[in-house]
Amino acid sequence: MTGFATQVAFVTGAGSGIGRATALAFAQAGAAVVVSDVNDTSGQETVDQVKAAGGEATYVRCNVADPDQIEAAVRQTVIIYGRLDIGINNAGIGGKFGRLLDQTPHDFDQIMAINVGGVFYGMQAQIRQMLAQSDNQSANHPAGGHPAGGKIVNVSSIAGIRGMPMGGPYSASKHAVLGLTKTAALEYVRQNIRVNAVCPVYTHSGMVDELINTAPGMEERMRRVIPIGRFGQPQEIAQAILWLCSDENAFCTGQAIQMDGGLTAG
Ligand SMILES: NC(=O)c1ccc[n+]([C@@H]2O[C@H](COP(=O)([O-])OP(=O)(O)OC[C@H]3O[C@@H](n4cnc5c(N)ncnc54)[C@H](O)[C@@H]3O)[C@@H](O)[C@H]2O)c1
């Protein structure tokens, strides 16, 4: 995989877990990265880690459930770094652990607003910018070192492919992410905007720690269902995201890559 030097990546939920690992990996591969989150402290920590490793990053606060904030964050990315090549819609919450009848309208609405709204509004803002800069490039700077278009990866889940007992709204939200991913991929394929998704199984992060703590023995029960015998590492999911965005991977769009230690192979 060649690097991402001269490219600009915008990563939501980059203050922790998979988002942080993705921001670090893009920066290590040469991209300038906008680290976005609602947690200013952890977002700034990610930026500090990128800089300590010799990379370039800036923190921009953004609640992905608010279309105005995500639009403003993408605008800010362009003000700071001049363009947007890569959008990673990763921010998400696990929601309440409970059966369908235990989930309230608030539980359902909150998870939909963040997990689905965040991807929907994120892609709207990112695609708008990618199309605008493609027009400018062809009018003013043919090629200009940057191919027209862009790359987007949405973070779904294995729960976006299979049902998830005790996580109905979460599973619904992650299925919706795949519907949006495939639709956007088809709608903008001729503008050279590739849109893909990753579907991780349990991966070490704040979200999984929360789940582990819901009951004694939970971690072992969760691990047992994964054929490879362990949880994923955020860095492993990040590498799949980088591969999806790499220019060598130009034929791949509308796909959901399952990062699941073999779970869905059976
Ligand atoms: N960890 C797993 O096992 C796993 C498995 C499958 C999918 N995922 C998905 O991966 C993504 C990242 O999760 P993670 O596991 O790294 O969890 P995490 O809790 O470590 O990180 C999530 C980040 O998103 C941020 N965030 C939450 N709400 C936000 C909002 N409204 N706007 C902006 N940022 C917000 C949080 O502050 C946090 O920094 C999520 O979409 C999650 O559903 C995780």
Side-chain angles (χ1 to χ4, degrees):
M1 215 191 297
T2 52
F4 290 89
T6 81
Q7 299 198 34
V8 179
F10 170 77
V11 185
T12 69
S16 169
I18 294 169
R20 172 175 283 176
T22 303
L24 284 162
F26 272 119
Q28 193 181 24
V33 182
V34 167
V35 169
S36 169
D37 209 287
V38 282
N39 185 328
D40 297 340
T41 307
S42 63
Q44 190 54 50
E45 269 168 23
T46 302
V47 169
D48 294 345
Q49 289 184 16
V50 166
K51 292 198 165 163
E56 174 56 36
T58 305
Y59 175 65
V60 175
R61 182 188 173 81
C62 163
N63 176 353
V64 296
D66 180 343
D68 292 339
Q69 287 192 34
I70 204 154
E71 189 72 45
V74 168
R75 230 178 6 251
Q76 190 65 17
T77 301
V78 177
I79 289 169
I80 300 167
Y81 292 122
R83 55 182 297 106
L84 176 73
D85 301 285
I86 295 160
I88 309 300
N89 297 303
N90 160 77
I93 57 167
K96 189 200 273 179
F97 190 68
R99 288 204 225 182
L100 232 60
L101 297 187
D102 300 322
Q103 305 276 354
T104 66
H106 171 76
D107 298 330
F108 182 77
D109 290 347
Q110 188 191 35
I111 209 157
M112 288 295 160
I114 296 173
N115 291 10
V116 185
V119 170
F120 181 66
Y121 299 128
M123 285 205 292
Q124 281 192 323
Q126 292 149 13
I127 291 172
R128 215 172 272 134
Q129 172 57 29
M130 287 167 181
L131 293 177
Q133 71 197 20
S134 293
D135 287 350
N136 287 343
Q137 262 168 227
S138 44
N140 304 325
H141 320 279
H146 293 285
K151 285 90 61 172
I152 294 176
V153 175
N154 299 320
V155 180
S156 176
S157 168
I158 285 304
I161 294 176
R162 299 160 57 123
M164 182 182 171
M166 311 300 273
Y170 181 78
S171 179
S173 75
K174 293 300 183 179
H175 276 74
V177 167
L178 295 187
L180 287 170
T181 300
K182 292 173 196 172
T183 301
L186 292 171
E187 287 180 351
Y188 296 98
V189 66
R190 292 299 176 102
Q191 283 80 28
N192 200 32
I193 297 174
R194 295 193 294 106
V195 187
N196 290 291
V198 286
C199 299
V201 77
Y202 303 127
T203 300
H204 286 292
S205 74
M207 186 178 288
V208 152
D209 286 347
E210 260 177 48
L211 203 53
I212 286 171
N213 292 331
T214 54
M218 190 69 169
E219 184 170 1
E220 184 46 37
R221 283 203 335 254
M222 288 160 67
R223 202 194 320 276
R224 228 181 289 134
V225 301
I226 307 173
I228 209 167
R230 64 173 176 86
F231 291 178
Q233 295 292 343
Q235 296 82 352
E236 293 173 315
I237 312 305
Q239 284 309 316
I241 293 173
L242 256 68
W243 173 73
L244 284 169
C245 293
S246 70
D247 291 331
E248 288 90 341
N249 197 22
F251 203 51
C252 177
T253 194
Q255 300 306 305
I257 306 299
Q258 294 162 44
M259 296 295 293
D260 66 357
L263 179 64
T264 50

